[in-house]
Structure formats: C-alpha cells, structure tokens
Amino acid sequence: MIDNDDCATVMTNDFDNHTDSTLRVTAKDVVSEGVVSLTLARPDGKRLPDWAPGAHVDLILPSGVTRQYSLCGNRWDPYTFRVGVLREPAGRGGSAFVHDVLSVGDVVGVGGPRNNFPLVPAPRYLFIAGGIGITPLIPMMAQADLMGIEWTLLYGGRTRTSMGFVDELAAYGNRVVIAPQDEVGLLDLPTWLTAAASDDAKVYVCGPEPLLGAVEKCCVDWPVGKLRMERFVPKQQSAPARTAPFEVELARSAVTVTVSPNGSVLDAVQNAGVNVLSSCREGTCGTCETTVLDGEPDHRDSILDDSERDGAGCMFICVSRSCSDRLVLDL
C-alpha cells in the first residue's frame, strides 16, 4: 500500500530501466517444507541498489516467466538480495522452476527494487503474517528492533514445518508468536486486533487472501493508515465504471490511443509503440505506475486503498481503466 499522496513509488534505481540486468544465484536454501530462499548477487561483485523494508524485486527467470518476490534479507548488506519462494502447485510455473530447476550459479534478470508496502514511523507495530507473507515483514522487524521500537509478530501457517524462517525468528524470543493451524487453530485475530485498536500502533499484514479479508473485517472502523496490507494476488473488483471505449492521450509522446472495452490501457499504449515497464499485469506489483495529468481513472489495482485512490495522481495501467471519456497520461 502506497503511503504518500502523490502516488510516487517509494524507491527507484538503475535496475528499473534495464530489463537485462542480471544477478547470480549464490545460495539456495530450504527454509521450510515447500519454501526455499535464494541469495542473489551481481556477477561482477559490485553493490546492489539500496532498498527499504517492504520492497520487492521482479525476477525474470530463464524460462521467460517474471515473478515478484519480497526482499527478506539484510537491507544493510549492499552486496546481496534474499527472497523466499513458496512452491505453488496450482501456480503458473514460476515457483516450480525456482524449486526444481534454478541452481546456484545460474543468473536471473532483475527489476526493482520497488516498494508499495513501506514501513512508516510508529511508536509500536503489530505484524501479522500468514505463510509466505512473512517475507516482507522480516526486514521490518529487524528495522524496528534496530530503532528500539516495540513490536510483536503473530505468524500463522498450516503446520510448523511449512512455515519459513521459523528458526531465524526464534532469536527474537517471545516477541514472535508462532501459531500453526494444526496446533492452535485459526489465528485469534479479534483479540489481537482489538488490543491494537486501542493504542497508536500500526498494523502490518501480509499473507493469503482469506487472512487479509478476515483482518479487514475486524478493522472496518479503523482510521486511515493504521492498517497496512500487501497482497500477492489481485483483490476481487467490482464491475468497471464504464464499458464503452475511451481515449488516452500520451502527453509526452503526442499520441492518442483508444482503449477497447476488452483491452487494457497498458496494451493500447504498448501497441502504439510507447514502452512502459510492466510485470504482473494483475495490479499487484506497481511496476506500470503512471502519472495521470487529466481525467478520472477507474482504479482497479490491489495496491491503493479507497482513501489513497481518492487523491491519487497516478494509476496502474495494466488493470485500471477510466471513468471519464478521456485520460491524459504522462507518457
């Protein structure tokens, strides 16, 4: 979820504009049943771009598949990135490639880091993770710990053996509550969130959609900005605001395109020969974020919340459309 009103991404760097940037896999470790971590470094040994807790990278795999993974390593190590990858049997092949084919010494293309889930200042944090959703929270806990800020992690999963990085988290002692479903049942979200609602803590949540939906139901009356979430899959959207075609003017390119009812703004722009970086094409990664100069976007992404959409000066053109007859974009 983007924290600033002008909808600019929190972080960009030289990787964003070079899809042929490559990193080498320097380590591949099993961190739980079904989860491996990859450690990545530049082949030439040079520094990697800086990043902050909550950031993710695009991995462009040798199979041609692009996937987004949260950075879960040490942000103060300038030479390596670490990501955690869950094997998803019902996925589209990216995680299977990482688990079964990708090996130490192989190279992968990289985009980012980008950060749609920044850790904002607070006197206290409650972190809630479900399964692989632990990955963006690991560097957040390290950052809070470094700054001497009080925090607690509630971490759920199917079984203890399926929950990644548990051994690493043990170093934090009783600030980490491990709650496998086969041992304790579903997370007691009402109790945890009721306690957090009464103070000035910020709550960060990442995990599967059922967990996020359950948290949202508990927090419908919370003030804007207190609850912050990141989704790995698109949130279910209502029908588009309009079904008729609309025009999109690309101000810097002096080109106007027509977006059909069944086409995306991204496709129309790229078909006109204007290059826009994109990755997920689902409205979850933020790669295709574009500034809106005029018109009213129909935001259909899973990044901005309702309050952020009201004042957003951008849109994610892989999924978002238009409420007005015409949009003007800074492209």
Side-chain angles (χ1 to χ4, degrees):
M1 217 176 270
I2 294 177
D3 184 47
N4 49 347
D5 291 335
D6 64 4
C7 204
T9 47
V10 174
M11 186 180 307
T12 59
N13 55 69
D14 61 331
F15 279 25
D16 286 334
N17 297 315
H18 295 82
T19 57
D20 60 348
S21 296
T22 57
L23 297 184
R24 189 176 303 280
V25 179
T26 60
K28 180 179 179 180
D29 301 297
V30 176
V31 294
S32 74
E33 182 182 283
V35 179
V36 297
S37 71
L38 300 178
T39 303
L40 308 165
R42 287 187 188 266
D44 59 11
K46 293 183 179 179
R47 290 178 62 100
L48 293 166
D50 294 335
W51 59 279
H56 70 268
V57 292
D58 306 322
L59 293 192
I60 303 120
L61 301 172
S63 62
V65 171
T66 299
R67 294 291 181 267
Q68 294 76 45
Y69 297 106
S70 297
L71 290 170
C72 61
N74 178 6
R75 66 167 298 199
W76 303 111
D77 176 357
Y79 298 104
T80 65
F81 287 159
R82 185 180 72 167
V83 298
V85 181
L86 168 69
R87 179 190 287 276
E88 299 186 66
R92 294 172 292 173
S95 66
F97 185 93
V98 169
H99 277 255
D100 299 337
V101 180
L102 198 65
S103 301
V104 172
D106 290 345
V107 295
V108 294
V110 175
R114 301 179 186 86
N115 200 335
N116 301 320
F117 193 43
L119 184 68
V120 299
R124 190 174 78 82
Y125 299 103
L126 169 61
F127 301 112
I128 302 177
I132 198 62
I134 189 63
T135 51
L137 304 184
I138 290 173
M140 293 187 184
M141 291 180 282
Q143 182 73 10
D145 206 51
L146 181 66
M147 299 178 68
I149 299 173
E150 181 184 350
W151 61 270
T152 304
L153 168 68
L154 176 63
Y155 181 17
R158 292 181 295 102
T159 65
R160 190 175 296 269
T161 57
S162 72
M163 298 168 66
F165 306 100
V166 168
D167 292 343
E168 180 178 320
L169 295 171
Y172 290 120
N174 60 10
R175 284 178 291 178
V176 172
V177 177
I178 304 295
Q181 185 175 346
D182 66 336
E183 296 178 19
V184 301
L186 296 175
L187 297 179
D188 185 7
L189 296 174
T191 297
W192 283 84
L193 293 169
T194 297
S198 62
D199 61 26
D200 49 5
K202 290 195 182 297
V203 179
Y204 279 75
V205 188
C206 189
E209 190 59 33
L211 170 65
L212 303 186
V215 170
E216 287 180 318
K217 288 181 180 178
C218 291
C219 304
V220 291
D221 297 325
W222 282 21
V224 173
K226 183 175 178 66
L227 173 65
R228 312 188 67 80
M229 311 177 77
E230 182 171 57
R231 284 180 157 86
F232 292 142
V233 297
K235 186 176 182 179
Q236 187 172 359
Q237 303 287 341
S238 59
R242 60 181 292 147
T243 57
F246 57 93
E247 289 190 337
V248 176
E249 178 185 342
L250 312 180
R252 284 190 281 123
S253 303
V255 172
T256 297
V257 299
T258 299
V259 181
S260 69
N262 297 320
S264 71
V265 176
L266 176 63
D267 287 339
V269 169
Q270 291 183 331
N271 288 340
V274 177
N275 185 40
V276 177
L277 287 177
S278 65
S279 182
C280 72
R281 291 182 176 261
E282 295 180 326
T284 58
C285 75
T287 306
C288 66
E289 178 187 327
T290 302
T291 299
V292 178
L293 301 177
D294 194 23
E296 182 183 356
D298 176 14
H299 295 288
R300 305 184 59 75
D301 61 88
S302 301
I303 299 171
L304 302 174
D305 65 22
D306 290 341
S307 64
E308 291 166 333
R309 291 178 176 187
D310 290 341
C314 76
M315 63 186 291
F316 300 94
I317 63 174
C318 65
V319 292
S320 295
R321 299 183 63 79
S322 181
C323 296
S324 52
D325 292 336
R326 186 179 184 88
L327 291 174
V328 181
L329 302 181
D330 186 24
L331 289 173

